[in-house]
């Protein structure tokens, strides 16, 4: 076994030799009974010793090979469960059991990472199945035979995390348990989904993960954080374990020689428990294609063929973690209705105010964006809470700032932020509220000063800016459609849109019209050249008609947006009328277009109405901006909408795609691998290549246009 010591050493020898001996027995060929004092000695290790990475890999390989007949991995998991029960029932200040939990968790995490990378087929399930002999069966008071260890231990893990307080004394203990669960779920990284944990105790567990995220406690200053969070440091894994065990408990009588402080410039989170609690929640919420029920042994694989065949989804068990997150309620909510509906104490109760504020402060982080998406899309109670908040800028300003800085953001972030805005814009009260909330200024907007701008006007400006950026850089149809869909939902409720936002709205039509004109001219030129035989071998690109059709649709949506403002909110938006009058020549080339002429009839009805009033008021004085605006405001009072055609109001709604896990699972695991602080074997990961980022629009979701 290479550097692994497999022969007994004298107890009087140094602590390092004794530790190596115990670890050698753990990975060795001789099976240790569950009742053996060996387990207490192994898990009570408290001194530091250094094994090179190669030696650790050799030890893990030996354990994988010998575990078939020693079942040490399953036995270690059982002892972890027992240690968790001990510490939960122990009196305050009992530290030795906590050391055992830390060591057991660290041992399991290191070995599991190796095991999950190299295990094939049913080897994972077999590794955690213990065949109880007479002695072990009598010791744990269970019948002789096969025992599924995870079904026995996972409830203890979930229960311990769900019931433990979050404080400096338990910080690293909780973090190690969360990290262990992340590793246990990482079969998705290497070989696809596996059996999920059981649903009992899920509610308190999900609640505690959310509370950890809300609390966002930093690493306790008294505790030295173990070296596994240091990227690029190739140090002995088991040496990290003992440092973590000692530092979490801050015991002066435990001596250890390897303490690590974060180095300058290293990519280490200052809030690892909060971050990894959220990572774990997202992993469980978007857990693959396996739909797990209340028992660990039942896993239903829902294939694409089954889903598209129209089978009743109610026949398949659902994800209990997603159910817990989507059914969460505010702690200040009146629980009478919940009890009457039979939900009672199973409902996860979270302080929505604190969660709302925390998400707003952390929205520059992908994980917080995904959490916000999961809540506004899946949890009606939280969505309703957001919509009635009077300080919507707490959430929207970080979102708009990130869209403003789109070149420095990932495509994933941009898509998710736009989807969140689309979901919110489906509510009429939201669209009305954002135009009533005035901002004193927008410090991060550099092109011009925006004093006393409404949140709604700023949202219009940023969405149009995003379209412009996409037109010049990304050229993504999905992004265009999403931005225009949000604007269309907002349009009937726009109120006092400011001058800059109104100008940008008209310039949006101009920008898309010029793109449409270029595509049309190119197509005509190519077709004419082919017909006349001037150019041999020239072909019209296959996507030319498709692109023309797409931009025709975009132009029509913009005209629908303008029509909605003119139909439902004209008197409240004099700056929009001014912007249309100022650039009315833009619409002339499209006046006879079969897709646009009906909509443009309405636009010209409004333009003609105000042009006539301006002609009647023509004097020797030149028209100033202020004078024109004053006339528009005065004239709008007499506007009755005569001659306007009423079109069915265009509304866009968001629907999650049939198989959203194809996007979310790789996305979430990319975040875990990049930011969890756990060292992963990047070369062994097969999940990320399955769905490149530039194919997100084809996999994540779809827009449904409703004419209701």
């Amino acid at each position: 076994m290479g550097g692994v010591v497999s022969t007994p050493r004298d107890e009087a020898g140094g602590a390092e030799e004794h530790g190596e001996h115990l670890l050698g027995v753990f990975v060795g060929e001789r099976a240790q009974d569950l009742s053996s004092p060996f387990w207490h000695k192994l898990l009570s290790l408290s001194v530091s010793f250094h094994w090179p990475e190669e030696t650790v890999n050799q030890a893990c390989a030996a354990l994988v090979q010998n575990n078939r007949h020693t079942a040490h991995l399953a036995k270690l998991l059982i002892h972890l469960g027992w240690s968790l029960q001990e510490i939960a029932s122990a009196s305050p200040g009992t530290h030795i059991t906590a050391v055992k939990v830390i060591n057991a968790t660290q041992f399991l995490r290191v070995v599991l990472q190796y095991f999950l990378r190299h295990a094939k087929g049913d080897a994972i399930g077999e590794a955690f199945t213990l065949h109880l002999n007479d002695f072990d069966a009598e010791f744990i008071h269970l019948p002789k035979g096969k025992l599924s260890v995870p079904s026995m231990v996972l409830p203890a893990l979930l229960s311990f995390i769900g019931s433990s307080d979050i404080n400096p004394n338990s910080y690293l203990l909780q973090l190690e348990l969360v990290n262990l669960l992340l590793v246990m779920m990482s079969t998705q990284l290497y070989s696809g989904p596996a059996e999920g944990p059981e649903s009992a105790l899920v509610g308190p567990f999900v609640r505690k993960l959310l509370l950890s995220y809300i609390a966002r406690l930093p690493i306790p200053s008294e505790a030295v954080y173990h070296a596994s969070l240091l990227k690029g440091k190739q140090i002995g894994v088991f040496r990290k374990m003992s440092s973590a065990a000692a530092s979490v408990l801050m015991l002066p009588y435990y001596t250890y020689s390897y303490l690590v402080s974060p180095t300058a410039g290293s990519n280490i989170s200052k809030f690892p428990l909060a971050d990894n609690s959220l990572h774990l929640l997202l992993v469980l919420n978007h857990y693959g294609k396996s739909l797990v029920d209340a028992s660990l042994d039942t896993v239903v694989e829902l294939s694409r063929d089954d889903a598209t065949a129209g089978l009743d989804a109610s026949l398949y068990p659902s994800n209990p973690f997603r159910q817990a997150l989507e059914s969460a309620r505010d702690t200040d909510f009146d629980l009478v209705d919940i009890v009457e509906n039979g939900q009672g104490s199973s409902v996860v109760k979270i302080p929505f105010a604190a969660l709302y504020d925390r998400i707003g402060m952390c929205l520059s982080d992908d994980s917080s964006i995904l959490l916000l998406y999961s809540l506004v899309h899946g949890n009606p109670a939280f969505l309703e809470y957001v919509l009635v908040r009077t300080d919507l800028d707490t959430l929207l300003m970080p979102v708009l700032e990130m869209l403003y800085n789109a070149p420095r953001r990932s495509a994933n972030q941009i898509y998710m932020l736009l989807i969140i805005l689309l979901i919110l814009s489906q509510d009429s009260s939201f669209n009305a509220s954002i135009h009533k909330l005035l901002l004193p200024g927008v410090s991060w907007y550099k092109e011009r000063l925006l004093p006393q701008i409404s949140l709604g006007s700023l949202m219009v400006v940023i969405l149009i800016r995003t379209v412009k950026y996409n037109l010049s850089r990304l050229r993504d149809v999905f992004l265009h459609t999403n931005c225009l869909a949000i604007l269309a939902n907002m349009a009937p409720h726009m109120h006092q849109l400011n001058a800059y936002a109104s100008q940008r709205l008209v310039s949006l039509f101009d920008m898309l019209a010029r793109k449409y004109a270029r595509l049309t001219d190119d197509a005509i030129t190519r077709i004419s050249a082919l017909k006349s035989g001037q150019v041999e071998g020239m072909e019209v690109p296959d996507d030319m008609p498709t692109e023309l059709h797409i931009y025709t649709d975009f132009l029509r949506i913009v005209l629908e947006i303008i029509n909605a403002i003119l139909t439902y909110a004209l008197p409240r938006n004099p700056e929009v009328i001014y912007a249309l009058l100022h650039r009315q020549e833009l619409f002339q080339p499209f006046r006879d277009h079969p897709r646009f002429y009906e909509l443009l009839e309405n636009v010209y009805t409004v333009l003609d109405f105000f042009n006539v009033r301006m002609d009647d008021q023509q004097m020797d004085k030149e028209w100033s901006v202020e004078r024109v605006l004053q006339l528009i405001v005065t004239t709008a009072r007499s506007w009755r909408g005569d001659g306007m055609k009423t079109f069915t109001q265009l509304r866009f709604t968001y629907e999650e795609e049939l198989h959203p896990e194809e996007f979310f699972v790789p996305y979430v695991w990319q975040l875990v691998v990049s930011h969890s602080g756990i060292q992963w074997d990047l070369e062994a990961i097969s999940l990320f290549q399955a769905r490149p980022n530039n194919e997100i629009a084809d996999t994540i979701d779809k827009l449904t246009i409703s004419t209701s």
Side-chain angles (χ1 to χ4, degrees), residues 409-451:
R409 296 294 172 182
S410 68
N412 289 14
Q413 286 182 329
I414 296 173
Y415 289 129
M416 295 308 304
L417 293 170
L418 289 175
I419 291 168
I420 290 168
L421 292 180
L422 177 59
I423 293 171
L424 296 175
S425 73
Q426 292 169 195
D427 184 84
S428 57
S429 65
F430 168 84
N431 294 320
S433 298
I434 57 177
H435 290 284
K436 297 175 183 176
L437 203 162
L438 286 180
L439 306 169
V442 186
S443 60
W444 43 261
Y445 196 92
K446 304 301 181 184
E447 281 79 357
R448 61 184 296 157
L449 294 175
L450 298 175

Side-chain angles (χ1 to χ4, degrees), residues 455-508:
L455 186 58
S457 292
L458 179 62
M459 196 163 156
V460 170
V461 169
I462 297 301
L463 287 170
I464 294 172
R465 191 177 187 274
T466 304
V467 172
K468 183 178 180 181
Y469 167 72
N470 181 54
L471 194 62
S472 62
R473 300 282 186 87
L474 301 179
R475 300 181 182 179
D476 188 304
V477 172
F478 173 78
L479 194 150
H480 268 345
T481 307
N482 222 345
C483 289
L484 296 178
I486 299 166
L487 291 170
N489 287 346
M490 293 171 59
H493 311 279
M494 289 183 182
H495 182 85
Q496 295 299 328
L497 208 63
N498 82 342
Y500 185 52
S502 301
Q503 294 163 15
R504 299 307 296 161
L505 182 60
V506 177
S507 72
L508 173 63

Side-chain angles (χ1 to χ4, degrees), residues 148-167:
S148 176
V149 176
S151 63
M152 172 182 171
V153 176
L154 279 174
L157 262 172
L158 299 183
S159 176
F160 184 86
I161 294 176
S163 61
S164 299
D165 292 332
I166 305 168
N167 56 58

